């Protein structure tokens, strides 16, 4: 058997992951940490990323075991190339489903799908987004990611390949 491994390019910049208890009360801290991590980037980009992360973090807290006692959500941030910013959140599982943009159209169907409307925001504000299950056989969680286009000339010049958070 001949196996070929494909090597994805290493991120140009990789921020240390942040781990948060899954409580909505921490949303202010999540947003502040993200703004601090993205110091020097275009303010509109930072605000957009903060809005998307707020929605995904809220979903982690509301729909998964991340929001239960002892639950956590992990936030990651990277630049896979000089034109892309990628953010992700991984939850603790236990939600019994996967994120989806609602396709329902009647008033009652939209009412039932109300908790998923925030993903429309994610879809419309990001360049691309997606998700995958972490070990679906064990329901270890869902990894939701979003990417954002950035202009290389609007990227801080002093970024290092690895950014450690405090």
């Amino acid at each position: 058997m001949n196996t070929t491994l494909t090597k994805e390019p290493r991120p140009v910049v990789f921020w240390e992951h942040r781990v948060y208890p899954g409580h909505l009360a921490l949303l202010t801290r999540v947003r502040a940490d993200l703004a601090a991590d993205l110091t020097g980037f275009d303010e509109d980009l930072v605000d957009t990323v903060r809005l998307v992360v707020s929605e995904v973090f809220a979903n982690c807290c509301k729909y998964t075991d991340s929001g239960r006692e002892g639950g956590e959500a992990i936030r990651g941030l990277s630049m896979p190339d000089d034109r892309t910013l990628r953010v992700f959140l991984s939850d603790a599982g236990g939600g019994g489903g996967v994120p989806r943009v609602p396709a329902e159209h009647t008033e009652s169907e939209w009412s039932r799908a109300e908790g998923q409307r925030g993903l429309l925001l994610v879809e419309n504000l990001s360049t691309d987004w997606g998700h995958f299950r972490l070990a679906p056989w064990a329901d270890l969680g869902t990894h939701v990611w979003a990417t954002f286009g950035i202009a290389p000339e609007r990227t801080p010049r002093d970024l290092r390949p690895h950014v450690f958070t405090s």
Side-chain angles (χ1 to χ4, degrees):
M1 177 188 213
N2 199 2
T3 304
T4 304
L5 297 176
T6 58
K7 185 176 180 182
E8 288 204 18
R10 291 186 62 129
V12 172
V13 181
F14 185 83
W15 283 260
E16 183 179 17
H17 291 25
R18 292 188 183 261
V19 180
Y20 299 98
H23 302 289
L24 282 176
L26 290 173
L27 190 51
T28 301
R29 185 170 126 208
V30 171
R31 293 172 56 85
D33 286 348
L34 188 57
D37 290 346
L38 295 176
T39 297
F41 281 85
D42 179 70
E43 285 185 38
D44 287 338
L45 171 69
V46 174
D47 287 344
T48 300
V49 175
R50 287 174 64 192
L51 189 56
V52 167
V53 167
S54 295
E55 175 57 35
V56 178
F57 182 77
N59 286 351
C60 288
C61 295
K62 186 173 181 180
Y63 298 113
T64 74
D65 286 345
S66 290
R68 290 181 177 70
E69 186 63 36
E72 297 177 325
I74 300 169
R75 192 224 65 201
L77 186 64
S78 68
M79 286 177 57
D81 58 55
D82 66 347
R83 297 181 179 277
T84 307
L85 181 69
R86 176 181 293 143
V87 65
F88 78 78
L89 279 115
S90 292
D91 64 49
V98 294
R100 70 177 186 86
V101 173
E104 297 80 2
H105 298 290
T106 68
E107 189 67 33
S108 65
E109 289 170 324
W110 269 108
S111 180
R112 278 195 310 269
E114 184 170 341
Q116 300 164 347
R117 289 182 184 176
L119 292 177
L120 290 169
L121 177 139
V122 173
E123 183 173 88
N124 285 293
L125 292 179
S126 63
T127 306
D128 197 12
W129 78 282
H131 60 83
F132 57 87
R133 299 294 301 257
L134 302 169
W137 59 88
D139 195 19
L140 294 181
T142 302
H143 179 92
V144 179
W145 56 268
T147 58
F148 303 86
I150 54 176
E153 66 275 4
R154 300 198 73 181
T155 302
R157 297 284 175 231
D158 58 346
L159 283 176
R160 295 177 161 198
H162 234 89
V163 179
F164 295 98
T165 56
S166 55

PDB file of all heavy atoms in Angstrom, residues 7-23:
ATOM      1  N   LYS A   7       1.015  17.705   2.740  1.00  0.00           N
ATOM      2  CA  LYS A   7       1.467  18.617   3.781  1.00  0.00           C
ATOM      3  C   LYS A   7       0.821  19.976   3.547  1.00  0.00           C
ATOM      4  O   LYS A   7       1.060  20.619   2.539  1.00  0.00           O
ATOM      5  CB  LYS A   7       2.979  18.743   3.747  1.00  0.00           C
ATOM      6  CG  LYS A   7       3.522  19.573   4.869  1.00  0.00           C
ATOM      7  CD  LYS A   7       5.037  19.596   4.851  1.00  0.00           C
ATOM      8  CE  LYS A   7       5.525  20.441   5.990  1.00  0.00           C
ATOM      9  NZ  LYS A   7       6.962  20.549   6.008  1.00  0.00           N
ATOM     10  N   GLU A   8      -0.015  20.362   4.520  1.00  0.00           N
ATOM     11  CA  GLU A   8      -0.604  21.690   4.435  1.00  0.00           C
ATOM     12  C   GLU A   8       0.455  22.702   4.827  1.00  0.00           C
ATOM     13  O   GLU A   8       1.306  22.425   5.679  1.00  0.00           O
ATOM     14  CB  GLU A   8      -1.798  21.791   5.378  1.00  0.00           C
ATOM     15  CG  GLU A   8      -2.988  21.014   4.883  1.00  0.00           C
ATOM     16  CD  GLU A   8      -4.272  21.557   5.457  1.00  0.00           C
ATOM     17  OE1 GLU A   8      -4.292  22.702   5.944  1.00  0.00           O
ATOM     18  OE2 GLU A   8      -5.251  20.832   5.400  1.00  0.00           O
ATOM     19  N   PRO A   9       0.393  23.876   4.225  1.00  0.00           N
ATOM     20  CA  PRO A   9       1.379  24.890   4.602  1.00  0.00           C
ATOM     21  C   PRO A   9       1.211  25.295   6.065  1.00  0.00           C
ATOM     22  O   PRO A   9       0.106  25.335   6.584  1.00  0.00           O
ATOM     23  CB  PRO A   9       1.067  26.060   3.667  1.00  0.00           C
ATOM     24  CG  PRO A   9      -0.286  25.796   3.124  1.00  0.00           C
ATOM     25  CD  PRO A   9      -0.539  24.329   3.222  1.00  0.00           C
ATOM     26  N   ARG A  10       2.328  25.533   6.717  1.00  0.00           N
ATOM     27  CA  ARG A  10       2.279  25.994   8.105  1.00  0.00           C
ATOM     28  C   ARG A  10       1.715  27.403   8.131  1.00  0.00           C
ATOM     29  O   ARG A  10       1.937  28.188   7.218  1.00  0.00           O
ATOM     30  CB  ARG A  10       3.680  26.003   8.685  1.00  0.00           C
ATOM     31  CG  ARG A  10       4.250  24.620   8.881  1.00  0.00           C
ATOM     32  CD  ARG A  10       5.552  24.756   9.580  1.00  0.00           C
ATOM     33  NE  ARG A  10       5.290  25.357  10.890  1.00  0.00           N
ATOM     34  CZ  ARG A  10       5.720  24.862  12.029  1.00  0.00           C
ATOM     35  NH1 ARG A  10       6.471  23.804  12.024  1.00  0.00           N
ATOM     36  NH2 ARG A  10       5.438  25.438  13.164  1.00  0.00           N
ATOM     37  N   PRO A  11       1.010  27.738   9.200  1.00  0.00           N
ATOM     38  CA  PRO A  11       0.493  29.099   9.299  1.00  0.00           C
ATOM     39  C   PRO A  11       1.620  30.121   9.299  1.00  0.00           C
ATOM     40  O   PRO A  11       2.704  29.871   9.827  1.00  0.00           O
ATOM     41  CB  PRO A  11      -0.239  29.110  10.643  1.00  0.00           C
ATOM     42  CG  PRO A  11      -0.525  27.682  10.944  1.00  0.00           C
ATOM     43  CD  PRO A  11       0.584  26.894  10.307  1.00  0.00           C
ATOM     44  N   VAL A  12       1.366  31.248   8.681  1.00  0.00           N
ATOM     45  CA  VAL A  12       2.306  32.355   8.721  1.00  0.00           C
ATOM     46  C   VAL A  12       2.387  32.870  10.154  1.00  0.00           C
ATOM     47  O   VAL A  12       3.444  33.184  10.669  1.00  0.00           O
ATOM     48  CB  VAL A  12       1.853  33.479   7.756  1.00  0.00           C
ATOM     49  CG1 VAL A  12       2.697  34.718   7.907  1.00  0.00           C
ATOM     50  CG2 VAL A  12       1.879  32.979   6.315  1.00  0.00           C
ATOM     51  N   VAL A  13       1.214  32.926  10.815  1.00  0.00           N
ATOM     52  CA  VAL A  13       1.139  33.336  12.218  1.00  0.00           C
ATOM     53  C   VAL A  13       0.192  32.369  12.922  1.00  0.00           C
ATOM     54  O   VAL A  13      -0.861  32.014  12.387  1.00  0.00           O
ATOM     55  CB  VAL A  13       0.611  34.780  12.376  1.00  0.00           C
ATOM     56  CG1 VAL A  13       0.575  35.189  13.845  1.00  0.00           C
ATOM     57  CG2 VAL A  13       1.443  35.756  11.561  1.00  0.00           C
ATOM     58  N   PHE A  14       0.586  31.970  14.120  1.00  0.00           N
ATOM     59  CA  PHE A  14      -0.228  31.047  14.904  1.00  0.00           C
ATOM     60  C   PHE A  14      -0.281  31.579  16.337  1.00  0.00           C
ATOM     61  O   PHE A  14       0.752  31.688  16.988  1.00  0.00           O
ATOM     62  CB  PHE A  14       0.411  29.654  14.873  1.00  0.00           C
ATOM     63  CG  PHE A  14      -0.401  28.599  15.547  1.00  0.00           C
ATOM     64  CD1 PHE A  14      -1.432  27.970  14.882  1.00  0.00           C
ATOM     65  CD2 PHE A  14      -0.132  28.245  16.863  1.00  0.00           C
ATOM     66  CE1 PHE A  14      -2.185  26.993  15.498  1.00  0.00           C
ATOM     67  CE2 PHE A  14      -0.875  27.270  17.490  1.00  0.00           C
ATOM     68  CZ  PHE A  14      -1.911  26.642  16.804  1.00  0.00           C
ATOM     69  N   TRP A  15      -1.482  31.937  16.787  1.00  0.00           N
ATOM     70  CA  TRP A  15      -1.663  32.416  18.152  1.00  0.00           C
ATOM     71  C   TRP A  15      -1.883  31.224  19.068  1.00  0.00           C
ATOM     72  O   TRP A  15      -2.529  30.251  18.689  1.00  0.00           O
ATOM     73  CB  TRP A  15      -2.872  33.342  18.260  1.00  0.00           C
ATOM     74  CG  TRP A  15      -2.674  34.724  17.741  1.00  0.00           C
ATOM     75  CD1 TRP A  15      -2.421  35.845  18.485  1.00  0.00           C
ATOM     76  CD2 TRP A  15      -2.730  35.170  16.377  1.00  0.00           C
ATOM     77  NE1 TRP A  15      -2.320  36.950  17.676  1.00  0.00           N
ATOM     78  CE2 TRP A  15      -2.508  36.556  16.370  1.00  0.00           C
ATOM     79  CE3 TRP A  15      -2.950  34.521  15.161  1.00  0.00           C
ATOM     80  CZ2 TRP A  15      -2.495  37.306  15.203  1.00  0.00           C
ATOM     81  CZ3 TRP A  15      -2.941  35.261  13.987  1.00  0.00           C
ATOM     82  CH2 TRP A  15      -2.704  36.640  14.020  1.00  0.00           C
ATOM     83  N   GLU A  16      -1.373  31.322  20.272  1.00  0.00           N
ATOM     84  CA  GLU A  16      -1.609  30.298  21.269  1.00  0.00           C
ATOM     85  C   GLU A  16      -3.119  30.179  21.510  1.00  0.00           C
ATOM     86  O   GLU A  16      -3.837  31.185  21.546  1.00  0.00           O
ATOM     87  CB  GLU A  16      -0.906  30.702  22.563  1.00  0.00           C
ATOM     88  CG  GLU A  16      -1.009  29.712  23.675  1.00  0.00           C
ATOM     89  CD  GLU A  16      -0.255  30.177  24.908  1.00  0.00           C
ATOM     90  OE1 GLU A  16       0.080  31.374  25.033  1.00  0.00           O
ATOM     91  OE2 GLU A  16       0.005  29.312  25.761  1.00  0.00           O
ATOM     92  N   HIS A  17      -3.594  28.946  21.662  1.00  0.00           N
ATOM     93  CA  HIS A  17      -5.024  28.725  21.912  1.00  0.00           C
ATOM     94  C   HIS A  17      -5.424  29.325  23.250  1.00  0.00           C
ATOM     95  O   HIS A  17      -4.626  29.401  24.176  1.00  0.00           O
ATOM     96  CB  HIS A  17      -5.339  27.237  21.936  1.00  0.00           C
ATOM     97  CG  HIS A  17      -5.231  26.559  20.607  1.00  0.00           C
ATOM     98  ND1 HIS A  17      -4.454  27.011  19.589  1.00  0.00           N
ATOM     99  CD2 HIS A  17      -5.825  25.449  20.132  1.00  0.00           C
ATOM    100  CE1 HIS A  17      -4.559  26.208  18.542  1.00  0.00           C
ATOM    101  NE2 HIS A  17      -5.392  25.246  18.862  1.00  0.00           N
ATOM    102  N   ARG A  18      -6.678  29.712  23.332  1.00  0.00           N
ATOM    103  CA  ARG A  18      -7.252  30.182  24.593  1.00  0.00           C
ATOM    104  C   ARG A  18      -8.380  29.236  24.977  1.00  0.00           C
ATOM    105  O   ARG A  18      -9.152  28.810  24.114  1.00  0.00           O
ATOM    106  CB  ARG A  18      -7.777  31.602  24.474  1.00  0.00           C
ATOM    107  CG  ARG A  18      -6.672  32.645  24.284  1.00  0.00           C
ATOM    108  CD  ARG A  18      -7.263  34.037  24.361  1.00  0.00           C
ATOM    109  NE  ARG A  18      -6.295  35.081  24.130  1.00  0.00           N
ATOM    110  CZ  ARG A  18      -5.700  35.782  25.093  1.00  0.00           C
ATOM    111  NH1 ARG A  18      -5.952  35.504  26.363  1.00  0.00           N
ATOM    112  NH2 ARG A  18      -4.859  36.743  24.805  1.00  0.00           N
ATOM    113  N   VAL A  19      -8.464  28.916  26.255  1.00  0.00           N
ATOM    114  CA  VAL A  19      -9.496  28.011  26.762  1.00  0.00           C
ATOM    115  C   VAL A  19     -10.379  28.800  27.721  1.00  0.00           C
ATOM    116  O   VAL A  19      -9.877  29.493  28.609  1.00  0.00           O
ATOM    117  CB  VAL A  19      -8.875  26.797  27.489  1.00  0.00           C
ATOM    118  CG1 VAL A  19      -9.960  25.875  28.011  1.00  0.00           C
ATOM    119  CG2 VAL A  19      -7.926  26.047  26.550  1.00  0.00           C
ATOM    120  N   TYR A  20     -11.687  28.699  27.515  1.00  0.00           N
ATOM    121  CA  TYR A  20     -12.653  29.435  28.335  1.00  0.00           C
ATOM    122  C   TYR A  20     -13.671  28.481  28.940  1.00  0.00           C
ATOM    123  O   TYR A  20     -14.171  27.591  28.241  1.00  0.00           O
ATOM    124  CB  TYR A  20     -13.424  30.444  27.475  1.00  0.00           C
ATOM    125  CG  TYR A  20     -12.550  31.471  26.827  1.00  0.00           C
ATOM    126  CD1 TYR A  20     -12.143  31.324  25.505  1.00  0.00           C
ATOM    127  CD2 TYR A  20     -12.122  32.592  27.532  1.00  0.00           C
ATOM    128  CE1 TYR A  20     -11.335  32.277  24.901  1.00  0.00           C
ATOM    129  CE2 TYR A  20     -11.309  33.542  26.931  1.00  0.00           C
ATOM    130  CZ  TYR A  20     -10.917  33.373  25.619  1.00  0.00           C
ATOM    131  OH  TYR A  20     -10.120  34.316  25.038  1.00  0.00           O
ATOM    132  N   PRO A  21     -14.034  28.710  30.210  1.00  0.00           N
ATOM    133  CA  PRO A  21     -15.196  28.000  30.743  1.00  0.00           C
ATOM    134  C   PRO A  21     -16.411  28.388  29.886  1.00  0.00           C
ATOM    135  O   PRO A  21     -16.512  29.518  29.421  1.00  0.00           O
ATOM    136  CB  PRO A  21     -15.327  28.539  32.168  1.00  0.00           C
ATOM    137  CG  PRO A  21     -13.950  29.035  32.512  1.00  0.00           C
ATOM    138  CD  PRO A  21     -13.391  29.552  31.213  1.00  0.00           C
ATOM    139  N   GLY A  22     -17.304  27.466  29.679  1.00  0.00           N
ATOM    140  CA  GLY A  22     -18.436  27.700  28.786  1.00  0.00           C
ATOM    141  C   GLY A  22     -19.591  28.446  29.415  1.00  0.00           C
ATOM    142  O   GLY A  22     -20.694  27.910  29.526  1.00  0.00           O
ATOM    143  N   HIS A  23     -19.346  29.667  29.844  1.00  0.00           N
ATOM    144  CA  HIS A  23     -20.386  30.487  30.454  1.00  0.00           C
ATOM    145  C   HIS A  23     -20.558  31.759  29.631  1.00  0.00           C
ATOM    146  O   HIS A  23     -19.573  32.447  29.349  1.00  0.00           O
ATOM    147  CB  HIS A  23     -20.029  30.859  31.890  1.00  0.00           C
ATOM    148  CG  HIS A  23     -19.796  29.671  32.766  1.00  0.00           C
ATOM    149  ND1 HIS A  23     -20.814  28.845  33.169  1.00  0.00           N
ATOM    150  CD2 HIS A  23     -18.659  29.164  33.291  1.00  0.00           C
ATOM    151  CE1 HIS A  23     -20.314  27.882  33.917  1.00  0.00           C
ATOM    152  NE2 HIS A  23     -19.006  28.042  33.999  1.00  0.00           N
TER     153      HIS A  23
END
